Amino acid sequence: SAVISQKPSRDICQRGTSLTIQCQVDSQVTMMFWYRQQPGQSLTLIATANQGSEATYESGFVIDKFPISRPNLTFSTLTVSNMSPEDSSIYLCSVGGVRSTEAFFGQGTRLTVV
Amino acid sequence: AQSVTQLDSQVPVFEEAPVELRCNYSSSVSVYLFWYVQYPNQGLQLLLKYLSGSTLVKGINGFEAEFNKSQTSFHLRKPSVHISDTAEYFCAVSSRGNTGNQFYFGTGTSLTVIP
C-alpha cells in the first residue's frame, strides 16, 4: 500500500490567483496522477506525472492552466493557475505503478474560488 | 478507451436491508475492476478489486462484487446495510499500459441508509 499526504486540505482563494497543491508519498512510485472532482461528479483525470519527463495531460486540460512538477519519485505538485469560480473542486493526488494494480488516493484538496 | 457506467446516481435503502449498486463497463481489452468508497469530506478508499480468478470478490465492511464478463458488469452488493455505509461509491476500471495502469471512474452512486 501507499500513504499519500496532500496539502493543503482545503483553501479559499480569490479569482485570478494561483494555488499549488503538494502531494507526498511514503514510497517511491513511477507514476502519479492528478484528478479533479467537481461538486456532485466523479473523478476526472487531469494529467499523469512521471519523474524525469513532462506530464501528460488529458483532453481539456492544458499545462498553462495546470502546471505540474515531479522532481523525484515521492513528490509532485499541481498548480491551479489564474483561478475562476469554475475551478472550485476537490483535487486528488493518486499513485500507481507498473507493478501496482491498485490506485491509492490522498485525502484531497477542497478548493473554493471566490 | 474504457468507460464505466453506474446506472443509479442515488440509492436510498433502509437500514439492515440488502443493497446492490450497479456498474457496467466497456472495454476491448482485459481490465481490472474496482469499487471505491468516499465518505463525506474524505478521500477514496478501496472496497474491493477484481484482478483475476474467482468472479466473486469479497471486500471490506461486508461488501462483495461479482464480475460478469459476458454482461461486462461488476455489481456491488451487501446483504444488510448499516447507517455507516452512507457514502458515495465509485466503480472503476483500469487497464495495463506500457507505463502503468490508468483508471477510469464511473459517475458515482450516492448510497443513503435510512434508519
Side-chain angles (χ1 to χ4, degrees):
Chain A
S1 65
V3 178
I4 303 170
S5 300
Q6 201 173 322
K7 293 191 297 186
S9 59
R10 59 178 63 230
D11 207 342
I12 301 173
C13 301
Q14 296 287 330
R15 67 176 67 199
T17 63
S18 297
L19 175 71
T20 295
I21 303 168
Q22 299 180 3
C23 179
Q24 179 76 50
V25 189
D26 69 341
S27 58
Q28 293 184 339
V29 293
T30 306
M31 302 172 70
M32 296 179 77
F33 303 90
W34 287 99
Y35 290 86
R36 181 175 72 182
Q37 185 180 19
Q38 293 179 302
Q41 298 188 28
S42 186
L43 284 73
T44 302
L45 182 65
I46 297 172
T48 303
N50 289 316
Q51 195 271 334
S53 63
E54 288 211 3
T56 303
Y57 288 83
E58 298 298 306
S59 175
F61 298 96
V62 295
I63 187 171
D64 290 345
K65 176 67 175 178
F66 297 101
I68 288 172
S69 77
R70 184 79 200 274
N72 57 54
L73 290 172
T74 64
F75 187 78
S76 178
T77 67
L78 169 76
T79 299
V80 186
S81 304
N82 188 26
M83 289 183 285
S84 65
E86 291 72 31
D87 294 320
S88 297
S89 293
I90 299 173
Y91 292 85
L92 291 147
C93 171
S94 175
V95 300
V98 175
R99 296 183 182 82
S100 172
T101 55
E102 180 178 334
F104 299 93
F105 291 87
Q107 293 293 92
T109 296
R110 186 178 295 271
L111 171 63
T112 302
V113 183
V114 298
Chain B
Q2 286 78 21
S3 68
V4 181
T5 302
Q6 290 182 245
L7 298 167
D8 306 299
S9 60
Q10 296 185 347
V11 174
V13 62
F14 286 103
E15 191 175 15
E16 298 183 3
V19 70
E20 178 181 81
L21 306 183
R22 296 180 292 171
C23 174
N24 288 86
Y25 67 95
S26 65
S27 175
S28 59
V29 299
S30 296
V31 296
Y32 303 131
L33 297 158
F34 305 82
W35 276 98
Y36 284 85
V37 60
Q38 185 178 36
Y39 298 104
N41 299 314
Q42 295 189 29
L44 274 73
Q45 179 183 358
L46 180 69
L47 269 180
L48 48 78
K49 61 184 176 182
Y50 171 79
L51 306 180
S52 65
S54 173
T55 57
L56 183 63
V57 179
K58 294 188 182 297
I60 63 172
N61 301 339
F63 284 94
E64 63 181 32
E66 185 159 18
F67 169 57
N68 188 318
K69 187 174 182 179
S70 63
Q71 297 185 8
T72 59
S73 67
F74 191 56
H75 301 333
L76 180 70
R77 302 185 184 98
K78 186 169 183 178
S80 176
V81 296
H82 301 133
I83 296 292
S84 59
D85 293 324
T86 294
E88 193 81 16
Y89 292 79
F90 293 98
C91 181
V93 301
S94 76
S95 60
R96 182 172 291 277
N98 292 330
T99 55
N101 295 320
Q102 183 163 328
F103 283 74
Y104 300 87
F105 287 85
T107 51
T109 297
S110 178
L111 174 64
T112 301
V113 180
I114 304 165

